[in-house]
């Protein structure tokens, strides 16, 4: 990718488990320069600061007040995403955050409005869809290799994050659950592949009222489940294709594909959207054939969406992992939750542009 003339100064809010993946990517990007980090746990902030040479800020207010912070990388828990983003925007800083954009539509709208008023950029994960997996698949769709898209399937099934995460409670509170946690990867990929969603219907369940932490110093701790943990839905895309979606923390094992897209001429197998690469396979009726990598950022990791934002600032173009896409994905997920609760199909009132493809 091209590089801005001046690296964008980055301040990280939240030095938890996911921050390690971002730090690994940032270390190899000349377009970004990590200047400060803060966390509610000073020890975690100190560890990240020592690893990178960044300054340790005592709190969010101090971090966003720094002159060497141009953009805030918001890696807090979902319930805090909007609050941190609004604080950063009020201080004149661009924002790139982990998904989801916010916990609800009101918060998401507030973030978008604040960014517009301040003339600042807001980006949001996932940026995995900018890797070679989803982008090669998108090019195949755009080039007409499957004919007219008719349908897609998207499956994310697991037994739950408590088996490996030492502090999993937030996955089972409002703002969490398999849909809001993992849905952004799959729905962002589906929007890249097929365009925005106009209507949804679905159903959901909560088989267990409690979960038990399976690893770490708190192993054996029992905590309540406050959200539905198995969600299935049908999404109608603006172009007419229908996507079937299953997001679950209640499946012990499965042999389901991640994403498949089916057209009038062929079918396409798309790799895990929680990763950046993977084989893209095409079936025209004569067996599966692996397509050569043809698009997307190569050999990258979490944080490339922030680098794309930095490059977009320098070039005066829209960035691809945009808040508008994230807000639409959030609206789709919340509308699907409402549809499941009400037992009927509901329109999705938001929309977005398909981000520009990568070649």
């Amino acid at each position: 990718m091209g590089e801005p003339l001046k690296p964008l100064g980055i301040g990280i809010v939240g030095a938890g488990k996911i921050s390690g993946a971002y730090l690994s990517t940032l270390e190899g990007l000349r377009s970004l320069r990590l200047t400060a980090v803060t966390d509610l746990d000073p020890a975690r902030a100190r560890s990240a600061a020592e690893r990178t040479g960044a300054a340790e800020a005592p709190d969010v207010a101090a971090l966003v007040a720094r002159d060497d912070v141009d953009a805030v990388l918001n890696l807090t828990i979902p319930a805090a995403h909007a609050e941190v983003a609004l604080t950063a925007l009020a201080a004149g800083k661009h924002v790139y955050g982990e998904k989801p954009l916010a916990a609800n539509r009101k918060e998401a709208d507030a973030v978008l409005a604040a960014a517009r008023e301040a003339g600042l950029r807001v980006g949001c994960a996932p940026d995995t869809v900018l890797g070679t997996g989803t982008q090669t698949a998108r090019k195949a769709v755009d080039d007409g290799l499957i004919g007219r898209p008719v349908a897609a399937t998207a499956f994310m099934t697991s037994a739950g994050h408590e088996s490996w995460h030492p502090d999993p409670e937030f996955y089972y509170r409002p703002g969490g659950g398999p849909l809001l946690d993992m849905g952004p990867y799959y729905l962002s990929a589906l929007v890249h592949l097929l365009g925005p969603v106009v209507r949804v219907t679905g159903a959901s369940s909560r088989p267990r009222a409690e979960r038990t932490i399976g690893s770490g110093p708190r192993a054996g701790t029992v905590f309540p489940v406050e959200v539905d943990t198995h969600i299935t839905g049908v999404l109608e895309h603006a172009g007419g294709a229908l996507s079937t979606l299953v997001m679950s923390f209640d499946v012990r094992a499965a042999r389901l594909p991640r994403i498949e897209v089916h057209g009038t001429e062929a079918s396409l197998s798309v790799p895990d959207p929680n990763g950046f690469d993977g084989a893209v396979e095409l079936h025209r009726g004569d067996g599966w054939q692996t397509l050569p990598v043809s698009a997307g950022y190569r050999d990258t990791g979490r944080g490339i969406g922030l680098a794309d934002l930095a490059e977009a600032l320098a070039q005066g173009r829209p960035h691809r992992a945009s808040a508008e896409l994230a807000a639409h994905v959030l609206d789709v997920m919340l509308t699907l939750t409402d549809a499941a609760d009400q037992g009927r199909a509901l329109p999705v009132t938001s929309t977005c542009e398909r981000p520009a493809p990568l070649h």
Side-chain angles (χ1 to χ4, degrees):
M1 64 186 295
E3 301 291 352
L5 295 177
K6 177 185 176 183
L8 203 66
I10 305 300
I12 291 181
V13 179
K17 194 173 183 69
I18 194 63
S19 67
Y22 279 88
L23 292 176
S24 295
T25 303
L26 265 59
E27 288 170 352
L29 294 172
R30 291 175 295 160
S31 58
L32 307 175
R33 181 170 64 93
L34 183 60
T35 56
V37 60
T38 191
D39 191 279
L40 292 174
D41 181 347
R44 294 198 305 199
R46 189 170 306 113
S47 176
E50 291 174 351
R51 168 181 171 177
T52 61
E56 181 186 349
D59 52 35
V60 176
L63 183 138
V64 300
R66 294 178 62 95
D67 292 336
D68 59 358
V69 171
D70 302 308
V72 169
L73 177 54
N74 182 6
L75 304 182
T76 57
I77 63 172
H81 285 178
E83 178 184 358
V84 172
L86 291 170
T87 299
L89 292 167
K93 312 297 182 181
H94 305 291
V95 180
Y96 183 91
E98 255 301 321
K99 47 75 190 169
L101 177 65
N104 55 58
R105 296 181 184 90
K106 182 178 179 180
E107 289 182 351
D109 289 344
V111 171
L112 290 174
R116 285 194 298 267
E117 184 176 349
L120 295 167
R121 301 284 187 115
V122 177
C124 188
D127 54 5
T128 49
V129 293
L130 304 182
T132 57
T134 298
Q135 290 297 314
T136 294
R138 173 175 176 170
K139 189 174 189 303
V141 173
D142 291 349
D143 287 350
L145 297 189
I146 67 169
R148 178 174 58 84
V150 174
T153 56
F155 300 108
M156 192 298 298
T157 59
S158 78
H161 291 349
E162 69 274 14
S163 64
W164 58 269
H165 200 291
D167 299 293
E169 286 94 333
F170 71 92
Y171 289 114
Y172 297 91
R173 293 171 182 157
L179 183 60
L180 285 174
D181 175 44
M182 297 300 295
Y185 297 105
Y186 290 77
L187 289 167
S188 296
L190 289 173
V191 172
H192 270 268
L193 293 165
L194 300 172
V197 178
V198 297
R199 190 166 70 150
V200 299
T201 187
S204 63
S205 64
R206 192 181 313 178
R208 285 179 279 172
E210 295 179 334
R211 298 268 176 149
T212 303
I213 298 177
S215 63
R218 302 173 59 231
T221 301
V222 177
F223 61 91
V225 175
E226 302 175 32
V227 295
D228 286 354
T229 51
H230 186 96
I231 299 95
T232 185
V234 176
L235 320 175
E236 300 179 34
H237 294 267
L242 302 178
S243 290
T244 301
L245 181 77
V246 175
M247 301 279 116
S248 182
F249 286 164
D250 292 296
V251 175
R252 187 60 56 186
R255 293 176 176 173
L256 296 165
R258 299 296 187 175
I259 295 178
E260 290 182 346
V261 184
H262 307 283
T264 54
E265 303 299 327
S267 292
L268 194 68
S269 175
V270 184
D272 186 354
N274 193 18
F276 287 85
D277 51 20
V280 178
E281 296 179 298
L282 184 72
H283 198 303
R284 293 188 175 95
D286 54 353
W288 291 102
Q289 299 178 350
T290 300
L291 297 179
V293 171
S294 59
Y297 290 123
R298 302 187 184 215
D299 303 321
T300 189
R302 281 169 169 78
I304 194 65
L306 178 55
D308 184 81
L309 186 153
E311 186 181 69
L313 277 169
Q315 296 178 349
R317 63 164 174 83
H319 55 285
R320 293 179 174 89
S322 70
E324 289 75 18
L325 170 61
H328 177 62
V329 166
L330 176 64
D331 189 29
V332 171
M333 294 188 296
L334 295 176
T335 304
L336 177 55
T337 300
D338 292 341
D341 291 342
Q342 298 174 28
R344 62 191 182 98
L346 291 175
V348 177
T349 57
S350 68
T351 190
C352 68
E353 298 290 332
R354 289 175 78 200
L358 278 157
H359 298 300

